[in-house]
Amino acid sequence: MDAKKLGLFIAQLRKEQNMTQADLARKLQVTDKAISKWERGLGLPDINSIEPLAEALGVTVLEIMRSERIPVEEVTPESASEVITDAFDMVNA
């Protein structure tokens, strides 16, 4: 997972929903400094924050993991499996 790409994606989605970093932080029960760090690509959300982050931003977990919007017709079991494997590799690194 590319931290810079994910950060830009989070910032884009947050701004599309007219949320401040503080608004998103409250929804996720993290600090606005954590959101800032993610958006600048200086860190990644904790694995336990991925699902709540996706929900707060109105996208799927797969889209968060890929840091891009994915048309529904392109979501396959194989693509989902690949992203999950990448996530586990990232956590175990």
Side-chain angles (χ1 to χ4, degrees):
M1 184 183 306
D2 182 323
K4 291 269 186 204
K5 185 177 177 184
L6 177 60
L8 291 172
F9 188 60
I10 291 170
Q12 173 193 346
L13 294 171
R14 176 182 59 76
K15 290 172 185 176
E16 284 175 7
Q17 295 194 21
N18 298 312
M19 272 193 278
T20 65
Q21 289 180 341
D23 294 334
L24 182 57
R26 274 190 294 278
K27 287 184 176 200
L28 301 176
Q29 298 179 346
V30 298
T31 65
D32 57 339
K33 288 180 178 28
I35 302 298
S36 175
K37 190 174 176 181
W38 300 344
E39 289 185 359
R40 290 180 290 136
L42 301 177
L44 294 167
D46 179 90
I47 193 72
N48 295 320
S49 299
I50 299 295
E51 189 173 357
L53 177 62
E55 185 176 317
L57 295 173
V59 295
T60 66
V61 169
L62 183 58
E63 289 171 307
I64 290 291
M65 300 301 291
R66 283 216 179 146
S67 304
E68 63 187 16
R69 300 233 181 194
I70 304 169
V72 174
E73 62 273 5
E74 290 183 23
V75 177
T76 65
E78 292 80 20
S79 64
S81 178
E82 180 182 314
V83 170
I84 291 169
T85 300
D86 290 347
F88 282 128
D89 291 345
M90 180 184 72
V91 169
N92 291 325

